[in-house]
Amino acid sequence: MLITRALVGIVGAILALIVAYTGGIPLLVALIVLSILGLHEFYRMTRAYRPNLLAGYGGAILILIGAETGGLEGALRGTIYLFALTFLLHAIRGLKPEMIGEMAVTFFGAFYVGVGFSHVILLRDTPAFGVSLAFVVLIATWSSDTVAYTVGHFLGQRPISPVISPKKTVEGTLAGFVGTIVVVLIVGKQLGWMGSGQFFVLGLSIAIAAPLGDLFESYIKRASQVKDAGTIIPGHGGILDRFDSLFFTATAAYYVVTALVGNG
């Protein structure tokens, strides 16, 4: 399993870096595909609530298109469109007590996936250093996941949350935390568009966000009584299993860097 996970991870990382470097339409299309697959997993886990797939898929796509064409404001407009679609496409089903739960799950899933992936676009489109910023966040996120998984697998003893995620350990989480900051500082020193102190803050934000994103998705899975969100990625599970940390790290990194150096 470790070998499969490593090989798939390496190939996936190379493809992700190529698409992130290219940006534009290729990145947008890739994220739309990943969003649809991820939402399929989310709505399958929450199918008891009868989410409206058309509203969810359409809304998430609009958020991504908005981010690509209009930046943060465009992503916000897409979120408003998601809200409107969610209401309208549920309203035509008629008025019933369970509609509130159906709308909530529909909106939440598309917001979770769409906003998470939209911040990858926002990172990539940051003026002057967007490509390198996206690379830093991707590499740091992968480092956090890889170090935490490896150390936890071989040396982990104490579960960090036995109920939510029994296989994630305190030892692995701490190793991933430290490893993430170190990676960001090493890479940042070569880039130079921020000082070491600022890169430390960026690394710290990613180190905190990555395990939170992982635990958040684990909470959804446990509440839905499933082990993995999907099986599409050998050795990793589903799309949500692979990108759960990135949803949080990309979002955190975007606002941290914007606060530290601005956004053009």
Side-chain angles (χ1 to χ4, degrees):
M1 180 62 71
L2 280 174
I3 295 175
T4 300
R5 183 182 178 93
L7 291 175
V8 172
I10 291 171
V11 173
I14 293 172
L15 292 175
L17 291 174
I18 291 173
V19 175
Y21 177 81
T22 305
I25 298 301
L27 177 60
L28 175 62
V29 171
L31 293 178
I32 286 176
V33 172
L34 290 174
S35 293
I36 292 173
L37 292 174
L39 271 176
H40 173 72
E41 295 172 354
F42 180 87
Y43 288 146
R44 183 180 58 204
M45 290 190 291
T46 58
R47 60 183 176 273
Y49 294 93
R50 299 185 67 231
N52 189 296
L53 303 187
L54 180 59
Y57 294 152
I61 291 171
L62 288 173
I63 292 173
L64 291 169
I65 293 176
E68 176 60 32
T69 59
L72 183 58
E73 291 184 3
L76 176 60
R77 286 194 296 270
T79 304
I80 294 172
Y81 298 149
L82 164 63
F83 183 87
L85 274 175
T86 300
F87 170 69
L88 292 173
L89 294 181
H90 278 87
I92 61 176
R93 293 180 176 178
L95 183 61
K96 47 190 177 179
E98 60 269 28
M99 183 180 294
I100 294 177
E102 295 174 7
M103 288 193 298
V105 170
T106 299
F107 180 87
F108 176 76
F111 181 87
Y112 171 52
V113 176
V115 170
F117 275 135
S118 73
H119 279 79
V120 176
I121 294 175
L122 296 177
L123 285 172
R124 170 59 179 79
D125 291 346
T126 300
F129 49 81
V131 174
S132 58
L133 173 58
F135 277 24
V136 169
V137 175
L138 287 171
I139 293 170
T141 303
W142 296 332
S143 298
S144 174
D145 290 344
T146 301
V147 173
Y149 179 87
T150 304
V151 172
H153 181 80
F154 289 106
L155 302 176
Q157 298 292 327
R158 292 168 291 180
I160 192 169
S161 180
V163 175
I164 298 176
S165 188
K167 290 187 178 181
K168 294 181 179 65
T169 65
V170 173
E171 293 82 0
T173 301
L174 289 176
F177 185 90
V178 174
T180 300
I181 295 175
V182 171
V183 166
V184 173
L185 287 174
I186 292 174
V187 175
K189 187 175 182 180
Q190 310 305 314
L191 297 174
W193 40 261
M194 290 197 305
S196 296
Q198 292 169 307
F199 272 110
F200 175 81
V201 173
L202 175 60
L204 181 63
S205 68
I206 296 174
I208 294 172
L212 287 178
D214 200 353
L215 283 173
F216 183 81
E217 194 249 353
S218 293
Y219 183 85
I220 295 173
K221 290 190 295 184
R222 296 300 171 265
S224 303
Q225 298 182 333
V226 300
K227 181 180 182 296
D228 293 314
T231 58
I232 194 171
I233 308 176
H236 293 265
I239 298 299
L240 296 183
D241 297 314
R242 178 64 277 180
F243 292 96
D244 53 1
S245 295
L246 184 62
F247 293 159
F248 279 52
T249 59
T251 303
Y254 176 76
Y255 296 108
V256 166
V257 171
T258 299
L260 291 174
V261 300
N263 192 8

